[in-house]
Amino acid sequence: MKSKTFLLPALLSAFLMWLAWPPIPYTTPLLLVGLVPLLWAIDYIRQSDASKKGKKVFLTAGLTFLVWNTASIYWVYNAISAVNNAFVAFLISLIPYGLGALLMTFAFWLYYRLSVVSSKKIAYFGLISFYIAMEYLHQTWDLAFPWMTLGNGLAGMHQLAQWYEYTGVYGGSLWILASNILAFEAYKVFKSKLTGYPKFRPAFIWGLFIILPTALSLTKYVQYKEKPVPVNVVVVQPNIDPYQKYESLPANEQLQILAHLSDSVAQTNTEYFIWPETAIPRYADEDRIRENPDFLTAQRFLYKYKNASLITGIESIKRNGDQVSSFNAAMQLENSANVQFYHKSKLVPGVEKMPFPGALSILGPVFDGFGGTVGGYKGQEDPGVFYSYGGIGATPVICYESLWGDWIGKSVKNGAQFIAIITNDGWWGNTSGKDQHFLYAGLRAIETRRYVVRSANTGISGFINQTGDVVKQSKWWTRTALKADINLNDEITFYTKSGDLVAKLFSLTAIFFALIIPYRKWGRKNKH
């Protein structure tokens, strides 16, 4: 059997999945068929008389997912190469490129192993379970990087994802996987010798599987009406080079830029100002925050806006005897003595915390150039809600945390009426990374039916409404401020109540199907 027989379909799947992935517009539906060539290649290997079929399946699926992941998140290299030489940057980039791909590959390899010892329907159910379980693992362990979760792909056409208010992104993963399976089965039957209705029945079933969720989503999108509970919010994009902000520009000058931009668009009735991640760059002792000169500067800025609150990024510390804990934090202040802190909890592996520190501590110097405390930030166990003097609840979300729908949902369930994302996307340069990050935020708006207001130091700032539509956004690498009247919402969606229920259920079934493989294999041996 020639290797190109199954390598070409594997590469075709990688190309289709990349073409369908955000931020490429209008190609999102290709996700629903993008894995069909790979499924064909695996089926071809399984039915062949080749030796070491399991190895061939693993390598074939591995090629698809490595190429797709690398093409979609190539920008990781940009961030690492900016502070390291090209060789080191390449080696470290292989971790995010390859780790997610490895988990996806392992899911397809398990599917192949299950198909050998079970029926086709069980094997397909197992494939969906294995894949979603691997995605959920990649969201929950020390090396968490759920950027390429299949359901995130619908961010490119959020009109198709309105039912995420019930399922979250894992419902999208389920739909995409099942669609590819049904499309592959329809293709096989269409190529068979069957005639008449049986030849087209699988295609008809697949068509319904595509049309019904799409119709449901579009109907929900058109009919959804926001309750008018307006609040005027200002988001600021100071556009300060993240590689220079800790060295070349004094903190007081950065605060002057933020204040000036805020004043340029603010109204007398503005109730919230949102400044980006690490907008206050000098470490501040939380227990002595009212003595901090940067805090006092920000407080003086607010004097002009009596009913306003300010959410800003800040790097802070807390002391406990001789121990000092560092945080990538959000702080809310207002025209009162009340100050609230939230500590970023979903920390970037390597840059903000060292995963498996005993084994990987040697990599610490690689990430030194990103500012902050490499591997040393602490988080908090539960998401936070900031409450303003007027009783408005906002959930502070810091950068990378915007990938965790379940985490944000918990804060919404605890009283948040809108989502405030503060971030710094300049590490990646003018690449698709910043666009993907911005578009993913729209999925959080749909899941919770909350407005998203987003302040990026560099990147894209803007406002996203409760159906995921971008109401207003900034340009890349532009110093600006934007204002909008957003609608608050108190209603709780099913997803907000239940969280990642889909992922948890399929993780349980994945364990069951994984146990079937050795059990059936053992049973066959005993028969002989």
Side-chain angles (χ1 to χ4, degrees), residues 478-519:
T478 301
R479 182 168 291 177
T480 189
L482 305 172
K483 67 177 177 181
D485 289 331
I486 69 169
N487 286 319
L488 305 179
N489 190 12
D490 288 316
E491 294 181 358
I492 302 298
T493 65
F494 180 82
Y495 175 73
T496 300
K497 293 177 184 176
S498 60
D500 288 327
L501 182 63
V502 171
K504 293 173 183 176
L505 289 176
F506 277 100
S507 295
L508 289 175
T509 58
I511 295 172
F512 171 74
F513 286 122
L515 292 175
I516 287 179
I517 298 171
Y519 176 76

Side-chain angles (χ1 to χ4, degrees), residues 185-208:
E185 284 298 311
Y187 167 79
K188 285 202 302 181
V189 172
F190 185 78
K191 296 291 287 184
S192 70
K193 296 180 180 179
L194 288 175
T195 59
Y197 174 68
K199 187 181 187 72
F200 298 98
R201 183 174 59 185
F204 178 73
I205 294 172
W206 172 63
L208 285 178

Side-chain angles (χ1 to χ4, degrees), residues 149-220:
T149 299
L150 266 179
N152 285 339
L154 295 190
M157 290 183 69
H158 64 280
Q159 297 86 351
L160 301 178
Q162 297 299 308
W163 39 273
Y164 278 19
E165 69 169 280
Y166 304 106
T167 68
V169 293
Y170 290 107
S173 295
L174 170 60
W175 188 44
I176 292 167
L177 288 167
S179 171
N180 277 275
I181 290 169
L182 291 173
F184 174 56
E185 284 298 311
Y187 167 79
K188 285 202 302 181
V189 172
F190 185 78
K191 296 291 287 184
S192 70
K193 296 180 180 179
L194 288 175
T195 59
Y197 174 68
K199 187 181 187 72
F200 298 98
R201 183 174 59 185
F204 178 73
I205 294 172
W206 172 63
L208 285 178
F209 190 76
I210 299 301
I211 292 170
L212 291 179
T214 299
L216 171 66
S217 185
L218 292 177
T219 301
K220 188 75 174 177

Side-chain angles (χ1 to χ4, degrees), residues 385-402:
V385 181
F386 286 159
Y387 289 99
S388 71
Y389 181 78
I392 299 172
T395 175
V397 178
I398 303 176
C399 190
Y400 183 61
E401 291 183 315
S402 62

